[in-house]
Amino acid sequence: MEIYEFGQRLIREAGDFIRLRMKKDFRIDAKLNPNDLVTDVDRETETYIYDRILERYPDHRIIGEEGHGTDIEDTEGVLWIVDPIDGTLNFVHQLQNFAVSIGVYVDGRPHCGMILDVMNDHLYHAKAGEGAFKDDIRLAPLEDTDLAHSLVSLNSNWVVREGIGQAFTKVVREARSTRSYGSAALDMAFTATGIVSATLFYRLHPWDYSAGMIIISEVGGRTTNLLGEEIDVLKKDSILAGNQAIHGELVGYFDSDASFIESHRRTHGEK
Ligand code: 2AM
Ligand code: CA
Ligand code: CA
Ligand code: CA
């Protein structure tokens, strides 16, 4: 069995683990700010995935949101990038609408990506060069759309943020409408299926976007940061993903706004 098949089996097992574990009590802690939560289930699921990968592939490396691989600074060899629960606030408040997200890179190149919508039991997955799937159904190539006729996913927090909100506000005005699902990985999976045409974030971590980026690329979509710059998969950055046409159109809302660019450089540094 190769990495892609193993990864699909593993992420489904992680889904089983979460569904069983969440029936029992779990502790909820705040991280640095009171709205940034983590639970026992996040941590235990990351450890479950980590142990399974190393059991099978002792020489692979793993980065996870809940503390694994913090010393990893290069992409040599096989690198697994894991978010055990993406959408922890949904997990805590709704017990649904959260995902497990796993991206795999080999010597810095995208290899495969998997996003499991845990409670709906849908697996979005892709191997580089071989197309993308929702469960066993192949996803169609994305069609070009324009913002005025599109749904785009966007968290309202960014719209009210000083220095950057004005750029997001213009997008909200021009779009047919916006959606916010509360899980970046699911937003990206929904972009890959075309049920939203684009998804925008001011700040994501590698474990939020790595799987989604690979899946979106396999349906002909494009992912960069909001200024249209390529993503370095070891770094935090803003993310803009969508079909080719809307991606190009949306970059124009951000790379023409001097105040936005300045805030972005302050947050994410110079490319
Ligand atoms: P998480 O649930 O794994 O923490 C919610 O809008 C989305 O943003 C989720 O994918 C969530 O991932 C992510 N997120 C939550 N807090 C964040 C933060 N402080 N910075 C960046 N992304 C965050
Ligand atoms: Ca988190
Ligand atoms: Ca996440
Ligand atoms: Ca998480």
Side-chain angles (χ1 to χ4, degrees), residues 153-170 172 180 184 187 199-205 208 226 237-239 254 260 267-268:
S153 85
L154 169 63
N155 188 318
S156 52
N157 290 339
W158 308 125
V159 182
V160 296
R161 185 73 66 93
E162 208 168 317
I164 62 170
Q166 73 289 344
F168 286 107
T169 301
K170 285 190 192 149
V172 174
S180 185
D187 285 312
T199 181
L200 303 84
F201 307 91
Y202 187 64
R203 189 177 55 235
L204 286 187
H205 293 84
D208 300 310
L226 287 164
D237 208 336
S238 63
I239 290 284
F254 299 96
F260 178 85
T267 310
H268 298 298

PDB file of all heavy atoms in Angstrom, residues 153-170 172 180 184 187 199-205 208 226 237-239 254 260 267-268:
ATOM      1  N   SER A 153     -16.456  32.163   0.334  1.00  0.00           N
ATOM      2  CA  SER A 153     -16.455  31.951   1.780  1.00  0.00           C
ATOM      3  C   SER A 153     -15.406  32.845   2.423  1.00  0.00           C
ATOM      4  O   SER A 153     -14.282  32.995   1.929  1.00  0.00           O
ATOM      5  CB  SER A 153     -16.282  30.477   2.128  1.00  0.00           C
ATOM      6  OG  SER A 153     -14.942  30.135   2.155  1.00  0.00           O
ATOM      7  N   LEU A 154     -15.824  33.456   3.511  1.00  0.00           N
ATOM      8  CA  LEU A 154     -15.067  34.547   4.125  1.00  0.00           C
ATOM      9  C   LEU A 154     -15.573  34.725   5.550  1.00  0.00           C
ATOM     10  O   LEU A 154     -16.777  34.808   5.780  1.00  0.00           O
ATOM     11  CB  LEU A 154     -15.353  35.805   3.291  1.00  0.00           C
ATOM     12  CG  LEU A 154     -14.923  37.162   3.808  1.00  0.00           C
ATOM     13  CD1 LEU A 154     -13.420  37.199   3.937  1.00  0.00           C
ATOM     14  CD2 LEU A 154     -15.368  38.245   2.830  1.00  0.00           C
ATOM     15  N   ASN A 155     -14.648  34.752   6.512  1.00  0.00           N
ATOM     16  CA  ASN A 155     -15.013  34.937   7.912  1.00  0.00           C
ATOM     17  C   ASN A 155     -15.188  36.430   8.207  1.00  0.00           C
ATOM     18  O   ASN A 155     -14.297  37.233   7.904  1.00  0.00           O
ATOM     19  CB  ASN A 155     -13.899  34.329   8.780  1.00  0.00           C
ATOM     20  CG  ASN A 155     -14.277  34.295  10.244  1.00  0.00           C
ATOM     21  OD1 ASN A 155     -14.849  35.250  10.767  1.00  0.00           O
ATOM     22  ND2 ASN A 155     -13.958  33.202  10.902  1.00  0.00           N
ATOM     23  N   SER A 156     -16.302  36.793   8.818  1.00  0.00           N
ATOM     24  CA  SER A 156     -16.607  38.211   9.044  1.00  0.00           C
ATOM     25  C   SER A 156     -15.603  38.907   9.970  1.00  0.00           C
ATOM     26  O   SER A 156     -15.501  40.130   9.961  1.00  0.00           O
ATOM     27  CB  SER A 156     -18.029  38.368   9.584  1.00  0.00           C
ATOM     28  OG  SER A 156     -18.199  37.532  10.702  1.00  0.00           O
ATOM     29  N   ASN A 157     -14.854  38.144  10.758  1.00  0.00           N
ATOM     30  CA  ASN A 157     -13.817  38.764  11.612  1.00  0.00           C
ATOM     31  C   ASN A 157     -12.881  39.653  10.818  1.00  0.00           C
ATOM     32  O   ASN A 157     -12.471  40.720  11.275  1.00  0.00           O
ATOM     33  CB  ASN A 157     -12.945  37.686  12.278  1.00  0.00           C
ATOM     34  CG  ASN A 157     -13.709  36.934  13.332  1.00  0.00           C
ATOM     35  OD1 ASN A 157     -14.717  37.430  13.829  1.00  0.00           O
ATOM     36  ND2 ASN A 157     -13.255  35.740  13.654  1.00  0.00           N
ATOM     37  N   TRP A 158     -12.529  39.205   9.611  1.00  0.00           N
ATOM     38  CA  TRP A 158     -11.574  39.969   8.808  1.00  0.00           C
ATOM     39  C   TRP A 158     -12.199  41.255   8.277  1.00  0.00           C
ATOM     40  O   TRP A 158     -11.512  42.248   8.073  1.00  0.00           O
ATOM     41  CB  TRP A 158     -11.054  39.136   7.635  1.00  0.00           C
ATOM     42  CG  TRP A 158     -10.517  37.796   8.048  1.00  0.00           C
ATOM     43  CD1 TRP A 158     -10.900  36.578   7.574  1.00  0.00           C
ATOM     44  CD2 TRP A 158      -9.500  37.532   9.021  1.00  0.00           C
ATOM     45  NE1 TRP A 158     -10.196  35.571   8.190  1.00  0.00           N
ATOM     46  CE2 TRP A 158      -9.329  36.130   9.079  1.00  0.00           C
ATOM     47  CE3 TRP A 158      -8.724  38.343   9.856  1.00  0.00           C
ATOM     48  CZ2 TRP A 158      -8.409  35.518   9.935  1.00  0.00           C
ATOM     49  CZ3 TRP A 158      -7.815  37.737  10.705  1.00  0.00           C
ATOM     50  CH2 TRP A 158      -7.660  36.342  10.743  1.00  0.00           C
ATOM     51  N   VAL A 159     -13.497  41.234   8.089  1.00  0.00           N
ATOM     52  CA  VAL A 159     -14.181  42.394   7.504  1.00  0.00           C
ATOM     53  C   VAL A 159     -14.176  43.579   8.474  1.00  0.00           C
ATOM     54  O   VAL A 159     -14.191  44.731   8.060  1.00  0.00           O
ATOM     55  CB  VAL A 159     -15.635  42.021   7.110  1.00  0.00           C
ATOM     56  CG1 VAL A 159     -16.347  43.190   6.462  1.00  0.00           C
ATOM     57  CG2 VAL A 159     -15.636  40.805   6.185  1.00  0.00           C
ATOM     58  N   VAL A 160     -14.155  43.284   9.773  1.00  0.00           N
ATOM     59  CA  VAL A 160     -14.199  44.366  10.763  1.00  0.00           C
ATOM     60  C   VAL A 160     -12.814  44.671  11.347  1.00  0.00           C
ATOM     61  O   VAL A 160     -12.697  45.431  12.303  1.00  0.00           O
ATOM     62  CB  VAL A 160     -15.194  44.034  11.907  1.00  0.00           C
ATOM     63  CG1 VAL A 160     -16.609  43.944  11.366  1.00  0.00           C
ATOM     64  CG2 VAL A 160     -14.821  42.731  12.612  1.00  0.00           C
ATOM     65  N   ARG A 161     -11.773  44.085  10.777  1.00  0.00           N
ATOM     66  CA  ARG A 161     -10.412  44.279  11.290  1.00  0.00           C
ATOM     67  C   ARG A 161      -9.784  45.536  10.693  1.00  0.00           C
ATOM     68  O   ARG A 161      -9.763  45.706   9.470  1.00  0.00           O
ATOM     69  CB  ARG A 161      -9.575  43.037  10.949  1.00  0.00           C
ATOM     70  CG  ARG A 161      -8.170  43.006  11.504  1.00  0.00           C
ATOM     71  CD  ARG A 161      -8.143  42.763  12.996  1.00  0.00           C
ATOM     72  NE  ARG A 161      -8.628  41.436  13.354  1.00  0.00           N
ATOM     73  CZ  ARG A 161      -7.848  40.369  13.517  1.00  0.00           C
ATOM     74  NH1 ARG A 161      -6.559  40.459  13.332  1.00  0.00           N
ATOM     75  NH2 ARG A 161      -8.356  39.215  13.884  1.00  0.00           N
ATOM     76  N   GLU A 162      -9.292  46.411  11.576  1.00  0.00           N
ATOM     77  CA  GLU A 162      -8.693  47.667  11.126  1.00  0.00           C
ATOM     78  C   GLU A 162      -7.501  47.427  10.194  1.00  0.00           C
ATOM     79  O   GLU A 162      -6.718  46.503  10.425  1.00  0.00           O
ATOM     80  CB  GLU A 162      -8.222  48.463  12.344  1.00  0.00           C
ATOM     81  CG  GLU A 162      -8.216  49.945  12.111  1.00  0.00           C
ATOM     82  CD  GLU A 162      -8.037  50.721  13.422  1.00  0.00           C
ATOM     83  OE1 GLU A 162      -8.679  50.337  14.413  1.00  0.00           O
ATOM     84  OE2 GLU A 162      -7.258  51.673  13.409  1.00  0.00           O
ATOM     85  N   GLY A 163      -7.389  48.230   9.172  1.00  0.00           N
ATOM     86  CA  GLY A 163      -6.246  48.143   8.258  1.00  0.00           C
ATOM     87  C   GLY A 163      -6.468  47.184   7.098  1.00  0.00           C
ATOM     88  O   GLY A 163      -5.918  47.367   6.020  1.00  0.00           O
ATOM     89  N   ILE A 164      -7.281  46.153   7.313  1.00  0.00           N
ATOM     90  CA  ILE A 164      -7.512  45.171   6.238  1.00  0.00           C
ATOM     91  C   ILE A 164      -8.996  45.064   5.870  1.00  0.00           C
ATOM     92  O   ILE A 164      -9.341  44.618   4.786  1.00  0.00           O
ATOM     93  CB  ILE A 164      -6.974  43.771   6.610  1.00  0.00           C
ATOM     94  CG1 ILE A 164      -7.684  43.213   7.846  1.00  0.00           C
ATOM     95  CG2 ILE A 164      -5.462  43.825   6.843  1.00  0.00           C
ATOM     96  CD1 ILE A 164      -7.376  41.758   8.121  1.00  0.00           C
ATOM     97  N   GLY A 165      -9.863  45.500   6.807  1.00  0.00           N
ATOM     98  CA  GLY A 165     -11.311  45.335   6.617  1.00  0.00           C
ATOM     99  C   GLY A 165     -11.843  45.996   5.365  1.00  0.00           C
ATOM    100  O   GLY A 165     -12.748  45.469   4.697  1.00  0.00           O
ATOM    101  N   GLN A 166     -11.257  47.154   5.009  1.00  0.00           N
ATOM    102  CA  GLN A 166     -11.764  47.889   3.837  1.00  0.00           C
ATOM    103  C   GLN A 166     -11.638  47.049   2.564  1.00  0.00           C
ATOM    104  O   GLN A 166     -12.523  47.092   1.702  1.00  0.00           O
ATOM    105  CB  GLN A 166     -11.051  49.254   3.703  1.00  0.00           C
ATOM    106  CG  GLN A 166      -9.594  49.226   3.222  1.00  0.00           C
ATOM    107  CD  GLN A 166      -8.621  48.660   4.251  1.00  0.00           C
ATOM    108  OE1 GLN A 166      -8.942  48.545   5.441  1.00  0.00           O
ATOM    109  NE2 GLN A 166      -7.434  48.283   3.790  1.00  0.00           N
ATOM    110  N   ALA A 167     -10.588  46.272   2.442  1.00  0.00           N
ATOM    111  CA  ALA A 167     -10.414  45.445   1.236  1.00  0.00           C
ATOM    112  C   ALA A 167     -11.440  44.307   1.228  1.00  0.00           C
ATOM    113  O   ALA A 167     -12.062  44.021   0.198  1.00  0.00           O
ATOM    114  CB  ALA A 167      -8.987  44.896   1.179  1.00  0.00           C
ATOM    115  N   PHE A 168     -11.626  43.666   2.397  1.00  0.00           N
ATOM    116  CA  PHE A 168     -12.617  42.590   2.475  1.00  0.00           C
ATOM    117  C   PHE A 168     -14.042  43.128   2.270  1.00  0.00           C
ATOM    118  O   PHE A 168     -14.890  42.455   1.688  1.00  0.00           O
ATOM    119  CB  PHE A 168     -12.516  41.862   3.823  1.00  0.00           C
ATOM    120  CG  PHE A 168     -11.318  40.961   3.933  1.00  0.00           C
ATOM    121  CD1 PHE A 168     -10.229  41.309   4.719  1.00  0.00           C
ATOM    122  CD2 PHE A 168     -11.279  39.756   3.239  1.00  0.00           C
ATOM    123  CE1 PHE A 168      -9.127  40.469   4.823  1.00  0.00           C
ATOM    124  CE2 PHE A 168     -10.182  38.905   3.334  1.00  0.00           C
ATOM    125  CZ  PHE A 168      -9.100  39.269   4.132  1.00  0.00           C
ATOM    126  N   THR A 169     -14.293  44.359   2.771  1.00  0.00           N
ATOM    127  CA  THR A 169     -15.632  44.947   2.627  1.00  0.00           C
ATOM    128  C   THR A 169     -16.021  45.081   1.157  1.00  0.00           C
ATOM    129  O   THR A 169     -17.157  44.792   0.770  1.00  0.00           O
ATOM    130  CB  THR A 169     -15.677  46.338   3.307  1.00  0.00           C
ATOM    131  OG1 THR A 169     -15.346  46.167   4.675  1.00  0.00           O
ATOM    132  CG2 THR A 169     -17.055  46.963   3.193  1.00  0.00           C
ATOM    133  N   LYS A 170     -15.073  45.506   0.344  1.00  0.00           N
ATOM    134  CA  LYS A 170     -15.347  45.636  -1.101  1.00  0.00           C
ATOM    135  C   LYS A 170     -15.699  44.283  -1.708  1.00  0.00           C
ATOM    136  O   LYS A 170     -16.578  44.190  -2.564  1.00  0.00           O
ATOM    137  CB  LYS A 170     -14.121  46.218  -1.819  1.00  0.00           C
ATOM    138  CG  LYS A 170     -13.949  47.704  -1.587  1.00  0.00           C
ATOM    139  CD  LYS A 170     -12.876  48.244  -2.524  1.00  0.00           C
ATOM    140  CE  LYS A 170     -12.484  49.657  -2.103  1.00  0.00           C
ATOM    141  NZ  LYS A 170     -11.081  49.939  -2.411  1.00  0.00           N
ATOM    142  N   VAL A 172     -17.104  41.794  -0.126  1.00  0.00           N
ATOM    143  CA  VAL A 172     -18.452  41.441   0.350  1.00  0.00           C
ATOM    144  C   VAL A 172     -19.509  42.178  -0.472  1.00  0.00           C
ATOM    145  O   VAL A 172     -20.524  41.602  -0.872  1.00  0.00           O
ATOM    146  CB  VAL A 172     -18.611  41.782   1.852  1.00  0.00           C
ATOM    147  CG1 VAL A 172     -20.046  41.553   2.312  1.00  0.00           C
ATOM    148  CG2 VAL A 172     -17.645  40.954   2.696  1.00  0.00           C
ATOM    149  N   SER A 180     -19.727  31.412   5.551  1.00  0.00           N
ATOM    150  CA  SER A 180     -18.636  31.142   6.471  1.00  0.00           C
ATOM    151  C   SER A 180     -18.938  29.837   7.176  1.00  0.00           C
ATOM    152  O   SER A 180     -19.938  29.721   7.870  1.00  0.00           O
ATOM    153  CB  SER A 180     -18.515  32.283   7.475  1.00  0.00           C
ATOM    154  OG  SER A 180     -17.395  32.071   8.280  1.00  0.00           O
ATOM    155  N   ALA A 184     -11.557  25.965   7.935  1.00  0.00           N
ATOM    156  CA  ALA A 184     -10.826  26.376   6.728  1.00  0.00           C
ATOM    157  C   ALA A 184     -10.685  25.201   5.756  1.00  0.00           C
ATOM    158  O   ALA A 184     -10.807  25.357   4.543  1.00  0.00           O
ATOM    159  CB  ALA A 184      -9.452  26.908   7.124  1.00  0.00           C
ATOM    160  N   ASP A 187     -13.932  24.765   4.021  1.00  0.00           N
ATOM    161  CA  ASP A 187     -14.074  25.852   3.042  1.00  0.00           C
ATOM    162  C   ASP A 187     -13.293  25.516   1.769  1.00  0.00           C
ATOM    163  O   ASP A 187     -13.761  25.762   0.660  1.00  0.00           O
ATOM    164  CB  ASP A 187     -13.532  27.167   3.600  1.00  0.00           C
ATOM    165  CG  ASP A 187     -14.459  27.802   4.629  1.00  0.00           C
ATOM    166  OD1 ASP A 187     -15.657  27.907   4.356  1.00  0.00           O
ATOM    167  OD2 ASP A 187     -13.972  28.194   5.702  1.00  0.00           O
ATOM    168  N   THR A 199     -12.411  31.009  -1.619  1.00  0.00           N
ATOM    169  CA  THR A 199     -12.366  31.131  -0.167  1.00  0.00           C
ATOM    170  C   THR A 199     -11.174  32.004   0.202  1.00  0.00           C
ATOM    171  O   THR A 199     -10.122  31.927  -0.430  1.00  0.00           O
ATOM    172  CB  THR A 199     -12.348  29.738   0.513  1.00  0.00           C
ATOM    173  OG1 THR A 199     -12.323  29.917   1.919  1.00  0.00           O
ATOM    174  CG2 THR A 199     -11.160  28.899   0.094  1.00  0.00           C
ATOM    175  N   LEU A 200     -11.376  32.891   1.195  1.00  0.00           N
ATOM    176  CA  LEU A 200     -10.367  33.892   1.531  1.00  0.00           C
ATOM    177  C   LEU A 200     -10.099  33.885   3.033  1.00  0.00           C
ATOM    178  O   LEU A 200     -11.046  33.834   3.828  1.00  0.00           O
ATOM    179  CB  LEU A 200     -10.852  35.300   1.178  1.00  0.00           C
ATOM    180  CG  LEU A 200     -11.264  35.625  -0.250  1.00  0.00           C
ATOM    181  CD1 LEU A 200     -12.704  35.230  -0.502  1.00  0.00           C
ATOM    182  CD2 LEU A 200     -11.096  37.108  -0.524  1.00  0.00           C
ATOM    183  N   PHE A 201      -8.821  33.955   3.399  1.00  0.00           N
ATOM    184  CA  PHE A 201      -8.440  34.015   4.817  1.00  0.00           C
ATOM    185  C   PHE A 201      -7.281  34.990   4.963  1.00  0.00           C
ATOM    186  O   PHE A 201      -6.377  35.013   4.128  1.00  0.00           O
ATOM    187  CB  PHE A 201      -7.942  32.657   5.317  1.00  0.00           C
ATOM    188  CG  PHE A 201      -8.884  31.517   5.069  1.00  0.00           C
ATOM    189  CD1 PHE A 201      -8.780  30.777   3.903  1.00  0.00           C
ATOM    190  CD2 PHE A 201      -9.868  31.188   5.981  1.00  0.00           C
ATOM    191  CE1 PHE A 201      -9.644  29.722   3.665  1.00  0.00           C
ATOM    192  CE2 PHE A 201     -10.733  30.127   5.746  1.00  0.00           C
ATOM    193  CZ  PHE A 201     -10.619  29.390   4.586  1.00  0.00           C
ATOM    194  N   TYR A 202      -7.281  35.727   6.046  1.00  0.00           N
ATOM    195  CA  TYR A 202      -6.155  36.634   6.260  1.00  0.00           C
ATOM    196  C   TYR A 202      -4.969  35.907   6.881  1.00  0.00           C
ATOM    197  O   TYR A 202      -3.832  36.265   6.641  1.00  0.00           O
ATOM    198  CB  TYR A 202      -6.576  37.806   7.152  1.00  0.00           C
ATOM    199  CG  TYR A 202      -5.488  38.846   7.264  1.00  0.00           C
ATOM    200  CD1 TYR A 202      -5.068  39.554   6.140  1.00  0.00           C
ATOM    201  CD2 TYR A 202      -4.855  39.088   8.473  1.00  0.00           C
ATOM    202  CE1 TYR A 202      -4.048  40.483   6.216  1.00  0.00           C
ATOM    203  CE2 TYR A 202      -3.839  40.027   8.568  1.00  0.00           C
ATOM    204  CZ  TYR A 202      -3.441  40.714   7.435  1.00  0.00           C
ATOM    205  OH  TYR A 202      -2.437  41.633   7.512  1.00  0.00           O
ATOM    206  N   ARG A 203      -5.248  34.869   7.703  1.00  0.00           N
ATOM    207  CA  ARG A 203      -4.118  34.171   8.318  1.00  0.00           C
ATOM    208  C   ARG A 203      -4.445  32.701   8.543  1.00  0.00           C
ATOM    209  O   ARG A 203      -5.367  32.370   9.287  1.00  0.00           O
ATOM    210  CB  ARG A 203      -3.744  34.802   9.653  1.00  0.00           C
ATOM    211  CG  ARG A 203      -2.439  34.231  10.201  1.00  0.00           C
ATOM    212  CD  ARG A 203      -2.005  34.883  11.502  1.00  0.00           C
ATOM    213  NE  ARG A 203      -3.045  34.805  12.487  1.00  0.00           N
ATOM    214  CZ  ARG A 203      -3.545  35.851  13.132  1.00  0.00           C
ATOM    215  NH1 ARG A 203      -3.108  37.061  12.893  1.00  0.00           N
ATOM    216  NH2 ARG A 203      -4.487  35.682  14.026  1.00  0.00           N
ATOM    217  N   LEU A 204      -3.711  31.839   7.884  1.00  0.00           N
ATOM    218  CA  LEU A 204      -3.858  30.398   8.106  1.00  0.00           C
ATOM    219  C   LEU A 204      -2.492  29.771   8.347  1.00  0.00           C
ATOM    220  O   LEU A 204      -1.459  30.301   7.932  1.00  0.00           O
ATOM    221  CB  LEU A 204      -4.504  29.710   6.900  1.00  0.00           C
ATOM    222  CG  LEU A 204      -5.996  29.909   6.653  1.00  0.00           C
ATOM    223  CD1 LEU A 204      -6.440  29.007   5.505  1.00  0.00           C
ATOM    224  CD2 LEU A 204      -6.847  29.649   7.887  1.00  0.00           C
ATOM    225  N   HIS A 205      -2.531  28.622   8.997  1.00  0.00           N
ATOM    226  CA  HIS A 205      -1.325  27.828   9.234  1.00  0.00           C
ATOM    227  C   HIS A 205      -1.256  26.707   8.194  1.00  0.00           C
ATOM    228  O   HIS A 205      -2.277  26.317   7.631  1.00  0.00           O
ATOM    229  CB  HIS A 205      -1.355  27.221  10.637  1.00  0.00           C
ATOM    230  CG  HIS A 205      -1.261  28.228  11.737  1.00  0.00           C
ATOM    231  ND1 HIS A 205      -2.364  28.907  12.210  1.00  0.00           N
ATOM    232  CD2 HIS A 205      -0.202  28.667  12.458  1.00  0.00           C
ATOM    233  CE1 HIS A 205      -1.975  29.728  13.177  1.00  0.00           C
ATOM    234  NE2 HIS A 205      -0.668  29.611  13.350  1.00  0.00           N
ATOM    235  N   ASP A 208      -3.906  24.108   8.188  1.00  0.00           N
ATOM    236  CA  ASP A 208      -5.252  24.500   7.744  1.00  0.00           C
ATOM    237  C   ASP A 208      -5.398  24.358   6.227  1.00  0.00           C
ATOM    238  O   ASP A 208      -6.479  24.059   5.736  1.00  0.00           O
ATOM    239  CB  ASP A 208      -5.530  25.976   8.077  1.00  0.00           C
ATOM    240  CG  ASP A 208      -5.452  26.270   9.556  1.00  0.00           C
ATOM    241  OD1 ASP A 208      -6.083  25.541  10.337  1.00  0.00           O
ATOM    242  OD2 ASP A 208      -4.759  27.252   9.926  1.00  0.00           O
ATOM    243  N   LEU A 226      -3.246  36.415  -0.493  1.00  0.00           N
ATOM    244  CA  LEU A 226      -4.213  37.403  -1.004  1.00  0.00           C
ATOM    245  C   LEU A 226      -3.564  38.411  -1.941  1.00  0.00           C
ATOM    246  O   LEU A 226      -4.254  39.111  -2.691  1.00  0.00           O
ATOM    247  CB  LEU A 226      -4.886  38.130   0.170  1.00  0.00           C
ATOM    248  CG  LEU A 226      -5.914  37.293   0.945  1.00  0.00           C
ATOM    249  CD1 LEU A 226      -6.227  37.931   2.295  1.00  0.00           C
ATOM    250  CD2 LEU A 226      -7.201  37.111   0.135  1.00  0.00           C
ATOM    251  N   ASP A 237       0.316  32.205   6.327  1.00  0.00           N
ATOM    252  CA  ASP A 237       0.129  33.219   5.290  1.00  0.00           C
ATOM    253  C   ASP A 237      -1.368  33.486   5.155  1.00  0.00           C
ATOM    254  O   ASP A 237      -2.195  32.766   5.756  1.00  0.00           O
ATOM    255  CB  ASP A 237       0.706  32.717   3.951  1.00  0.00           C
ATOM    256  CG  ASP A 237       1.173  33.858   3.034  1.00  0.00           C
ATOM    257  OD1 ASP A 237       0.673  35.002   3.189  1.00  0.00           O
ATOM    258  OD2 ASP A 237       2.022  33.607   2.169  1.00  0.00           O
ATOM    259  N   SER A 238      -1.713  34.510   4.385  1.00  0.00           N
ATOM    260  CA  SER A 238      -3.104  34.641   3.968  1.00  0.00           C
ATOM    261  C   SER A 238      -3.323  33.633   2.847  1.00  0.00           C
ATOM    262  O   SER A 238      -2.367  33.150   2.234  1.00  0.00           O
ATOM    263  CB  SER A 238      -3.391  36.060   3.486  1.00  0.00           C
ATOM    264  OG  SER A 238      -2.601  36.359   2.345  1.00  0.00           O
ATOM    265  N   ILE A 239      -4.581  33.311   2.605  1.00  0.00           N
ATOM    266  CA  ILE A 239      -4.888  32.313   1.567  1.00  0.00           C
ATOM    267  C   ILE A 239      -6.050  32.814   0.715  1.00  0.00           C
ATOM    268  O   ILE A 239      -7.059  33.302   1.240  1.00  0.00           O
ATOM    269  CB  ILE A 239      -5.275  30.951   2.205  1.00  0.00           C
ATOM    270  CG1 ILE A 239      -4.073  30.277   2.862  1.00  0.00           C
ATOM    271  CG2 ILE A 239      -5.915  30.013   1.171  1.00  0.00           C
ATOM    272  CD1 ILE A 239      -3.068  29.623   1.931  1.00  0.00           C
ATOM    273  N   PHE A 254      -6.936  43.228  -3.380  1.00  0.00           N
ATOM    274  CA  PHE A 254      -5.964  43.300  -2.291  1.00  0.00           C
ATOM    275  C   PHE A 254      -4.643  43.930  -2.720  1.00  0.00           C
ATOM    276  O   PHE A 254      -4.070  44.715  -1.978  1.00  0.00           O
ATOM    277  CB  PHE A 254      -5.750  41.900  -1.702  1.00  0.00           C
ATOM    278  CG  PHE A 254      -7.018  41.331  -1.132  1.00  0.00           C
ATOM    279  CD1 PHE A 254      -7.821  40.465  -1.867  1.00  0.00           C
ATOM    280  CD2 PHE A 254      -7.439  41.703   0.136  1.00  0.00           C
ATOM    281  CE1 PHE A 254      -9.016  39.976  -1.343  1.00  0.00           C
ATOM    282  CE2 PHE A 254      -8.628  41.217   0.675  1.00  0.00           C
ATOM    283  CZ  PHE A 254      -9.422  40.350  -0.079  1.00  0.00           C
ATOM    284  N   PHE A 260      -3.864  47.802   2.926  1.00  0.00           N
ATOM    285  CA  PHE A 260      -3.918  46.348   3.086  1.00  0.00           C
ATOM    286  C   PHE A 260      -2.520  45.732   2.945  1.00  0.00           C
ATOM    287  O   PHE A 260      -2.108  44.902   3.753  1.00  0.00           O
ATOM    288  CB  PHE A 260      -4.874  45.699   2.067  1.00  0.00           C
ATOM    289  CG  PHE A 260      -4.906  44.206   2.196  1.00  0.00           C
ATOM    290  CD1 PHE A 260      -5.750  43.598   3.115  1.00  0.00           C
ATOM    291  CD2 PHE A 260      -4.058  43.401   1.442  1.00  0.00           C
ATOM    292  CE1 PHE A 260      -5.760  42.215   3.276  1.00  0.00           C
ATOM    293  CE2 PHE A 260      -4.055  42.018   1.603  1.00  0.00           C
ATOM    294  CZ  PHE A 260      -4.906  41.427   2.514  1.00  0.00           C
ATOM    295  N   THR A 267       2.076  41.631   9.133  1.00  0.00           N
ATOM    296  CA  THR A 267       1.675  40.335   9.684  1.00  0.00           C
ATOM    297  C   THR A 267       2.541  39.201   9.165  1.00  0.00           C
ATOM    298  O   THR A 267       2.936  38.312   9.914  1.00  0.00           O
ATOM    299  CB  THR A 267       0.200  40.031   9.323  1.00  0.00           C
ATOM    300  OG1 THR A 267      -0.596  41.160   9.665  1.00  0.00           O
ATOM    301  CG2 THR A 267      -0.308  38.808  10.065  1.00  0.00           C
ATOM    302  N   HIS A 268       2.783  39.201   7.869  1.00  0.00           N
ATOM    303  CA  HIS A 268       3.378  38.022   7.228  1.00  0.00           C
ATOM    304  C   HIS A 268       4.788  38.241   6.698  1.00  0.00           C
ATOM    305  O   HIS A 268       5.400  37.297   6.181  1.00  0.00           O
ATOM    306  CB  HIS A 268       2.491  37.551   6.066  1.00  0.00           C
ATOM    307  CG  HIS A 268       1.114  37.136   6.502  1.00  0.00           C
ATOM    308  ND1 HIS A 268       0.909  36.093   7.366  1.00  0.00           N
ATOM    309  CD2 HIS A 268      -0.122  37.620   6.201  1.00  0.00           C
ATOM    310  CE1 HIS A 268      -0.398  35.956   7.577  1.00  0.00           C
ATOM    311  NE2 HIS A 268      -1.038  36.871   6.885  1.00  0.00           N
TER     312      HIS A 268
END
